[in-house]
Amino acid sequence: MNKIRQYFTTFVLIRGFFIAMLGSAFIYLNYFGFTSALFNTILGLASLYFLLKSETKIWFTTGAFFGLFWFWWIALSLIHYDMVWAAPIEILIIMFTYGLIFSFISWFSEKVSYYFIKKETAHPTLLSLLLKSIGLLGLSYIHPLSFDWFKPELMFVESYLGIEKWQFALVLLGMSVSLWQKKYVYMIIVLLAYRPLPSQTPHTTGNIALVTTHTSVHDKWDKTQHDKQFNALFKQIDDAIDAGKTLVILPESVFPIFLNRNQVLLEKLQEKAKKVSIVTGGLYWDGKTPRNSTYIFTHGEVSIANKVLLVPFGEANPLPDFLSDWVNEVFYDGAVDYKASDKVTDYQIDGITYRNAICFEATSEKLYEKDKKGQRPKNMIVLSNNGWFHPSIESTLQKLLLQYYNKKYGTTIYHAINMSQSYMIKSKE
């Protein structure tokens, strides 16, 4: 009991809260419309510096608060399943999971250091600091239940420091040596990770119309409202045609029906596609399993691109089959999991190749893999429905992650969203 109690002393809790707050501030500042490269740089460096010099029990509370500050919004989806009672439990599980991951990194680092040095030290050793740094570098490869949104280097996505692994490694190296030698002069190593800010020249979507919709989860699945919703979508398409656009992009599953089984809507969309190309979200049914899909209408023809990475628990259960079936039966009224495509889809519109991405998968490395020609995607069309987590920081974190991948791979991203403002992300350097 004393062992457990020492992890929850006032000092440990406050210290962990403070470190995690520093490392999460960039999300909340962005959410409230405030972005400062200098501020984000200082806050990110301070968070990592105080974390590296802390002991294992503080690493646990820091990890727990990181889990809370970054991912509390996940529990909002339970509201739509009438399971509000489970929200605190889910949040505690998230906190405990990241607390364990963080504390293991520190515990392992200190154990290995002690094994080689053979004595306890009041000051962190270089070996323990370097091992903790390696652990932080590897955190972006650890995906609890297939969820991969936690990337420590993301705190520098809108800063004067780069987000590449080698740049993050230099930041951690500078801090480790500085803490080991107790001299701030070694922080100069961090300057090697400097990345100049891109120009502030605004980019327009040109001949592409990005549609934003504002349909709640409840209304979206209310069949009595579908005619009204679909008419509004066709109005958006007509507006794009009148504006001389060549492509109109609608959000994820704005047609919350098995669109391939609705001949009337298909023919209407194909007719509109003779005047403007249309990319829209809709469900797909092959007679056995449902899919979350993108429908591409060009020159009166239609093609379909299915989702590759499904949302854990939201679309597919990541648990073993014997547990998955039970969870689906008890918590999701026996609903069948969606089925994922086995490969990423690229499609062409007016001679330009776009990679297909639907919501969650756009923030995963897999969608940025090289194609058969050895090239990463130059353009990506992303369709999202953020209604499950509205209002929250989810849409802000999602955008920061897309900025991260844009910086990393140079992919221009066209993002059409339900319940958040649509946008384009393009490299400015």
Side-chain angles (χ1 to χ4, degrees):
M1 184 61 70
N2 288 333
K3 188 73 173 177
I4 296 175
R5 197 175 289 129
Q6 71 175 341
Y7 278 79
F8 299 100
T9 64
T10 302
F11 173 78
V12 170
L13 289 172
I14 292 176
R15 180 96 172 187
F17 177 91
F18 176 70
I19 294 172
M21 182 182 66
L22 290 173
S24 308
F26 75 104
I27 303 172
Y28 292 87
L29 290 173
N30 188 289
Y31 176 79
F32 288 109
F34 178 79
T35 298
S36 167
L38 178 61
F39 217 57
N40 288 340
T41 303
I42 294 172
L43 290 172
L45 290 175
S47 177
L48 294 172
Y49 183 85
F50 289 122
L51 178 61
L52 283 172
K53 69 183 297 186
S54 298
E55 54 189 325
T56 298
K57 54 190 176 184
I58 292 176
W59 275 66
F60 176 84
T61 54
T62 298
F65 281 118
F66 264 124
L68 174 65
F69 294 152
W70 285 46
F71 304 127
W72 61 268
W73 49 266
I74 294 176
L76 291 181
S77 64
L78 295 172
I79 296 173
H80 306 291
Y81 295 103
D82 295 323
M83 294 170 58
V84 178
W85 59 268
I89 299 173
E90 183 169 16
I91 292 173
L92 286 174
I93 291 173
I94 292 170
M95 293 178 68
F96 187 69
T97 299
Y98 282 96
L100 280 181
I101 293 172
F102 269 69
S103 61
F104 176 78
I105 291 172
S106 178
W107 174 84
F108 178 80
S109 302
E110 291 176 2
K111 287 294 181 182
V112 172
S113 176
Y114 179 78
Y115 177 81
F116 286 101
I117 296 176
K118 303 297 184 184
K119 65 177 181 178
E120 297 282 355
T121 58
H123 193 73
T125 65
L126 179 61
L127 179 58
S128 69
L129 289 167
L130 292 177
L131 288 173
K132 288 177 180 178
S133 296
I134 292 172
L136 290 172
L137 277 169
L139 271 178
S140 59
Y141 301 109
I142 300 174
H143 309 150
L145 297 175
S146 303
F147 188 72
D148 60 351
W149 278 27
F150 189 76
K151 303 178 186 299
E153 59 268 36
L154 187 66
M155 63 181 73
F156 297 119
V157 73
E158 292 185 319
S159 76
Y160 288 112
L161 301 176
I163 46 82
E164 297 282 359
K165 284 295 182 185
W166 66 268
Q167 292 169 317
F168 191 46
L170 285 172
V171 171
L172 294 170
L173 177 63
M175 291 187 173
S176 296
V177 177
S178 178
L179 284 167
W180 175 51
Q181 289 291 329
K182 301 181 183 179
K183 295 179 180 179
Y184 289 115
V185 67
Y186 292 101
M187 290 288 287
I188 197 171
I189 298 174
V190 173
L191 296 179
L192 298 175
Y194 170 75
R195 178 173 179 146
L197 289 176
S199 65
Q200 296 301 309
T201 304
H203 292 285
T204 62
T205 56
N207 291 326
I208 298 176
L210 285 173
V211 174
T212 299
T213 56
H214 300 279
T215 307
S216 69
V217 172
H218 178 269
D219 291 344
K220 184 173 186 176
W221 299 104
D222 182 354
K223 293 182 180 180
T224 64
Q225 298 194 42
H226 281 181
D227 286 343
K228 178 183 177 183
Q229 293 168 14
F230 297 167
N231 288 335
L233 295 174
F234 281 107
K235 174 66 165 55
Q236 293 274 17
I237 294 172
D238 289 336
D239 288 346
I241 293 172
D242 293 340
K245 302 294 184 179
T246 58
L247 170 61
V248 56
I249 305 173
L250 305 172
E252 176 187 8
S253 62
V254 286
F255 291 98
I257 58 173
F258 296 118
L259 191 54
N260 62 311
R261 298 297 181 99
N262 191 312
Q263 198 60 36
V264 174
L265 280 176
L266 277 179
E267 290 179 357
K268 191 173 181 179
L269 286 164
Q270 286 175 297
E271 186 63 29
K272 296 290 183 183
K274 293 178 181 179
K275 299 179 180 179
V276 63
S277 295
I278 303 167
V279 175
T280 185
L283 303 183
Y284 178 86
W285 178 257
D286 62 5
K288 295 180 180 179
T289 52
R291 293 179 186 268
N292 189 355
S293 305
T294 299
Y295 287 77
I296 304 103
F297 296 88
T298 55
H299 307 295
E301 302 296 324
V302 60
S303 59
I304 299 170
N306 295 315
K307 196 170 185 178
V308 176
L309 297 175
L310 302 178
V311 179
F313 295 104
E315 294 174 322
N317 202 315
L319 299 173
D321 288 343
F322 74 95
L323 275 177
S324 177
D325 293 340
W326 178 80
V327 169
N328 285 349
E329 185 65 36
V330 174
F331 296 103
Y332 300 109
D333 297 323
V336 179
D337 284 350
Y338 280 77
K339 187 173 182 180
S341 176
D342 58 357
K343 60 181 179 180
V344 173
T345 301
D346 291 327
Y347 54 85
Q348 282 200 343
I349 298 176
D350 297 331
I352 299 175
T353 300
Y354 297 93
R355 177 149 296 180
N356 181 64
I358 301 176
C359 203
F360 169 74
E361 63 182 359
T363 55
S364 296
E365 286 282 348
K366 183 175 178 63
L367 267 289
Y368 299 85
E369 290 178 347
K370 295 179 181 178
D371 59 18
K372 294 179 181 179
K373 297 180 181 179
Q375 297 180 336
R376 298 193 186 275
K378 293 182 179 179
N379 300 283
M380 178 182 288
I381 290 179
V382 184
L383 315 181
S384 290
N385 173 27
N386 290 339
W388 292 94
F389 311 106
H390 179 81
S392 74
I393 62 161
E394 180 267 345
S395 59
T396 301
L397 182 54
Q398 180 188 44
K399 187 174 183 179
L400 291 168
L401 283 163
L402 292 177
Q403 288 178 220
Y404 168 89
Y405 284 111
N406 167 260
K407 277 191 171 186
K408 193 172 183 180
Y409 299 120
T411 303
T412 296
I413 299 169
Y414 301 90
H415 194 187
I417 316 170
N418 176 51
M419 296 303 285
S420 300
Q421 184 59 47
S422 299
Y423 52 82
M424 178 185 73
I425 298 175
K426 186 174 183 178
S427 297
K428 300 177 182 178
E429 296 177 309

